Amino acid sequence: MSMSKPFTAMALALLEHRGEVDLTAPVTAAIPAFAKRDKQHITPTHLLTHTAGLRASPFNFPKDDWPTIIDKACAMAVEPRWSVGQDAGYSPQTA
């Protein structure tokens, strides 16, 4: 799982360079349900830099399908006392 993150980040950077995605826009711009549990200000940049505060993995990758993974990610809460964009912590599954 960790080996795929640099490729995902590069693909997203290329899409941002082309103007096809804004990594500073809230995730809710693409996935409105992500706003659940006070996550409306989290951006793709927060996810890519491990500063979103979503480290406990509620899904079973690769057994869960993508809709299930997205639903479970939307239901997650930011860790208590976490400052999104300030605190950093790695998670192999949620980032």
Side-chain angles (χ1 to χ4, degrees):
M1 287 180 285
S2 295
M3 291 181 62
S4 66
K5 287 179 183 67
F7 296 102
T8 301
M10 288 302 297
L12 286 169
L14 180 59
L15 290 172
E16 184 176 48
H17 179 74
R18 292 179 180 170
E20 296 177 36
V21 69
D22 180 0
L23 297 179
T24 63
V27 172
T28 57
I31 306 171
F34 192 75
K36 293 177 189 171
R37 307 201 62 191
D38 201 30
K39 296 189 307 293
Q40 66 273 13
H41 301 295
I42 293 176
T43 68
T45 298
H46 295 134
L47 296 171
L48 290 167
T49 59
H50 309 287
T51 61
L54 305 174
R55 295 191 303 165
S57 176
F59 40 81
N60 185 0
F61 181 82
K63 289 187 176 187
D64 287 346
D65 59 20
W66 281 115
T68 300
I69 290 171
I70 290 171
D71 287 345
K72 289 180 178 181
C74 289
M76 290 177 74
V78 174
E79 287 190 20
R81 297 175 298 284
W82 189 276
S83 294
V84 173
Q86 298 291 317
D87 297 333
Y90 181 74
S91 170
Q93 288 189 311
T94 59

